[in-house]
Amino acid sequence: MTATMFQLGDDELTDRLAGAMADVEDRLREAVTGADELVDAPMRHLAAAGGKRLRPALTLLTAELGTPGRDEVVRAAVAVELTHLATLYHDDVMDSADMRRGAPSAHAVWDNSVAILTGDLLFARASQLVASLGADAVRVHAETFERLCLGQLHETLGPREGEDPIAHYIQVLADKTGSLIAASARYGAVFSGAGEDLAVILERYGEKVGVAFQLADDVIDLASDSETTGKTPGTDLREGVATMPVLLLQRRAAEGRLDERGAAVLERLGTDLRSDAALRAAVEELRDHEVLEEARELARQWARDAVAELEPLPAGSVKDALEAFAGLMVDRLA
């Protein structure tokens, strides 16, 4: 999904974003090469596999509220995608994921150490770009990096005793996914000269878009096959990570309103899911339960909440496109 695929409703805006995204892609290719011959292959691995490029596209889109053609905007767009790519290398190691973007994950091709160090190297490349954008950009990047790490740690450690597991999970999503999308939205406003007031609004919008996106991914991970998603369905289930559909089942159980089918699903999830057959059975049972639709609606609500943050923005094609962007996060659920 590149900028040319957005349903923006404005041909001129779409063409400008498509041209800017082509520049981002060129610079991204440059950024993931040139370390040395041995390292270039793992560095290029995920970037070459493609991806939605949502974060740089959002930077370019929010820049339309100011002067969009500035070089700082393009550098910021490349930096957020490099940061995102770095997190994917680390996530795949932690999740023991075999596939990413329809290709073998980096740790499956090389090993865990190579994947982790490659992720670190991409973080370094992103930091170099951000350093060229000034002290405020460095601060935002550092704060975002901290939230990315905190989100992963909180997901790994789980909720504290007495903490609502669903509220805990939403905060994990806000940190792990929302924070970088929020930074992407902010950078476009700041480096196009649109101003701090708009940047703050767009940060709030971006964080909620990120939560909506990840909630949608929770559903897609169960409802779609690996050919559609480029990932093995149910990887989180195998690793014992309770995503939103599972948390909704667990809440029903805690409140004494879990049906017989839901109880059977929870029992299945408590068994050994290391075999592909056992994982497939768990995925099929969960996708047939009504909590999957409940999770869909939750994703849609977060997208609506994101759009509501845009109310102070001036009416026009950019605001319309930002509303459409939020919709893209959950339109994938159809």
Side-chain angles (χ1 to χ4, degrees), residues 93-154:
V93 171
M94 296 195 70
D95 296 342
S96 301
D98 296 326
M99 294 177 62
R100 169 70 69 174
R101 296 179 170 176
S105 58
H107 78 91
V109 176
W110 291 277
D111 60 27
N112 285 353
S113 295
V114 170
I116 291 168
L117 290 168
T118 302
D120 292 345
L121 186 53
L122 289 169
F123 273 126
R125 289 283 171 94
S127 298
Q128 290 173 26
L129 270 177
V130 171
S132 74
L133 296 171
D136 186 65
V138 171
R139 176 189 60 78
V140 171
H141 187 67
E143 290 173 352
T144 302
F145 193 13
E146 179 182 21
R147 288 190 65 188
L148 292 170
C149 295
L150 284 172
Q152 187 63 66
L153 276 167
H154 287 150

Side-chain angles (χ1 to χ4, degrees), residues 42-269:
M43 276 190 70
R44 288 195 306 264
H45 183 68
L46 284 185
K52 303 176 185 69
R53 306 290 195 252
L54 295 174
R55 293 152 188 83
L58 182 57
T59 299
L60 298 177
L61 179 53
T62 58
E64 292 287 329
L65 292 166
T67 305
R70 294 179 175 178
D71 189 68
E72 295 96 322
V73 172
V74 178
R75 276 183 275 152
V78 176
V80 295
E81 183 63 13
L82 285 172
T83 302
H84 173 57
L85 286 171
T87 68
L88 298 185
Y89 281 83
H90 290 176
D91 283 352
D92 285 346
V93 171
M94 296 195 70
D95 296 342
S96 301
D98 296 326
M99 294 177 62
R100 169 70 69 174
R101 296 179 170 176
S105 58
H107 78 91
V109 176
W110 291 277
D111 60 27
N112 285 353
S113 295
V114 170
I116 291 168
L117 290 168
T118 302
D120 292 345
L121 186 53
L122 289 169
F123 273 126
R125 289 283 171 94
S127 298
Q128 290 173 26
L129 270 177
V130 171
S132 74
L133 296 171
D136 186 65
V138 171
R139 176 189 60 78
V140 171
H141 187 67
E143 290 173 352
T144 302
F145 193 13
E146 179 182 21
R147 288 190 65 188
L148 292 170
C149 295
L150 284 172
Q152 187 63 66
L153 276 167
H154 287 150
E155 180 179 85
T156 302
L157 295 171
R160 297 183 298 272
E161 185 176 352
E163 183 179 8
D164 177 15
I166 290 181
H168 173 269
Y169 184 64
I170 291 293
Q171 186 60 53
V172 165
L173 301 188
D175 288 336
K176 278 188 63 176
T177 303
S179 64
L180 185 54
I181 295 180
S184 303
R186 175 183 177 81
Y187 281 155
V190 168
F191 293 114
S192 68
E196 179 65 21
D197 289 345
L198 287 183
V200 171
I201 291 168
L202 291 164
E203 274 187 303
R204 292 197 299 264
Y205 159 85
E207 183 154 328
K208 290 180 177 177
V209 161
V211 174
F213 177 82
Q214 198 57 58
L215 288 171
D217 254 17
D218 285 355
V219 175
I220 292 167
D221 181 53
L222 298 170
S224 302
D225 56 30
S226 59
E227 291 182 2
T228 301
T229 64
K231 299 181 285 188
T232 303
T235 298
D236 286 327
L237 301 181
R238 174 174 279 164
E239 294 301 308
V241 176
T243 57
M244 186 54 70
V246 177
L247 290 170
L248 292 171
L249 273 180
Q250 291 173 344
R251 181 169 69 181
R252 291 184 180 203
E255 294 173 351
R257 55 186 185 91
L258 186 64
D259 61 359
E260 191 173 318
R261 285 194 308 121
V265 174
L266 284 183
E267 184 176 355
R268 167 88 68 180
L269 294 177

